[in-house]
Every structure is written in structure tokens, then in C-alpha cells.
Amino acid sequence: MLEINLTIVIQLINFFILMWLLKKFLYKPMMDYIDRRSDGIKLDLSEAKRMKSESVALKEEQDVLYQKARQKAGSIIRDARKQGEEERLRIVTEAHTEYSTILEEGRKTIDMELNKAQAQLEKNVVEIAVEIAEKVVERDIKAADHEKFITQAVKKLEKWQ
């Protein structure tokens, strides 16, 4: 039947010693390394999840800030347009006022010049009438002379106008 000889016993003892040595020097350190590596991976995964949560939170915060900035920019643009429109209306109003003032001053100047011209014209008419009267008194006026004096007087009046 089964014979147990010393070689089998020595091989069994060698096998168990090898198993014990492998367990002590190879299996246990290998398992410790695998456990540490597994813990490191778990730690890295939890850190990645935390960072992902933070990035989502930061993105939401940036989106809120972006919306606020867009609203503020829109408000600034509306205010600038409103101020521009107010400035435009002010300038137009000032221009109309200045136009009215200049127009009124122009009318006054024209009236004054017209009055001066009329006064000068009246003075000239009087001078011409005096001249004509002097010439008439100096000599007897004939019908042809009379017409000649009137034509000369009209020409002088036209020249002064």
C-alpha cells in the first residue's frame, strides 16, 4: 500500500517550511503592500470626488458671478444710454435757445440798421430837396429842366440806397 518513506516526509517538511517562509516573507509583505495600495487608491478616489464637488461648486459660483456681471453690464449700458439721451436733449435745448437768441439779436440789428438807413435816406432826401430848391431859385425852371432835376434827384436817391 502506501509506503511512507523518509523522502516523502522530508519533502513534506520542506514544503511546509517553504509555505511558512513564503507566508512570512512574501505573502504577508505582499498583502500589506496591496492593502496600502488599496487604501491609497481609496484615498485618491475620495480626494477626486471632493475636488469634483469643489469644482462643481466653483462653477456654480462662477455662473452666478457671470450672471451678476452681465446684469451689471446691462445696467451700466442702460444708464449710459439714458445719460447720453439726456445729454443730447440738453444740447438740443441749448442749441434752440442759442438759435432763438441769435435770431432775436439779428432782428434787432436789422431793425436798427433799417432805422439808420431810413434816417439817412430822409436826411439825403432833405439835402437833395434843398439842392433842387437852390438850383430852382438860381434860375428859371423850364419844364425840361424841371424833369432833368427830378431825374437827377431820383438817381442820387438810388445811389444812396
Side-chain angles (χ1 to χ4, degrees):
M1 280 229 304
L2 201 54
E3 253 181 65
I4 298 182
N5 68 25
L6 187 58
T7 311
I8 291 180
V9 173
I10 291 178
Q11 282 182 353
L12 277 175
I13 292 174
N14 278 340
F15 177 72
F16 285 118
I17 290 174
L18 181 63
M19 290 302 284
W20 180 78
L21 286 174
L22 284 176
K23 183 178 177 187
K24 179 156 177 100
F25 293 109
L26 187 62
Y27 181 73
K28 191 148 182 133
M30 185 66 98
M31 289 309 288
D32 288 342
Y33 173 76
I34 289 174
D35 287 341
R36 282 193 315 265
R37 181 74 177 136
S38 175
D39 290 342
I41 290 172
K42 287 178 185 175
L43 185 64
D44 289 345
L45 285 174
S46 67
E47 182 68 19
K49 285 180 184 177
R50 184 187 64 78
M51 291 176 98
K52 183 179 178 182
S53 312
E54 284 180 11
S55 69
V56 167
L58 285 174
K59 184 182 181 320
E60 289 173 358
E61 184 179 328
Q62 286 176 346
D63 289 343
V64 168
L65 290 174
Y66 177 71
Q67 290 299 326
K68 286 182 181 178
R70 284 185 62 85
Q71 290 173 351
K72 188 172 184 178
S75 174
I76 289 171
I77 289 171
R78 283 190 299 276
D79 290 345
R81 284 183 180 157
K82 182 180 176 186
Q83 288 175 352
E85 183 64 23
E86 289 172 356
E87 184 68 15
R88 185 189 69 80
L89 289 173
R90 184 187 66 76
I91 290 170
V92 167
T93 304
E94 285 179 7
H96 282 286
T97 304
E98 190 174 331
Y99 167 76
S100 298
T101 304
I102 291 171
L103 189 62
E104 187 61 32
E105 288 175 2
R107 285 183 183 152
K108 287 179 183 178
T109 304
I110 289 171
D111 288 342
M112 202 167 37
E113 291 295 323
L114 184 61
N115 289 338
K116 281 183 186 178
Q118 284 176 344
Q120 185 67 32
L121 184 61
E122 288 174 5
K123 181 181 173 185
N124 290 341
V125 167
V126 169
E127 288 176 3
I128 291 173
V130 169
E131 267 182 47
I132 290 174
E134 286 176 357
K135 287 182 182 181
V136 167
V137 170
E138 286 178 9
R139 63 182 176 157
D140 254 352
I141 300 179
K142 296 181 186 170
D145 288 335
H146 183 44
E147 220 174 284
K148 182 179 173 185
F149 289 132
I150 291 175
T151 305
Q152 287 175 350
V154 169
K155 283 183 182 177
K156 284 183 179 180
L157 282 175
E158 287 176 354
K159 183 171 98 177
W160 283 327
Q161 284 182 352

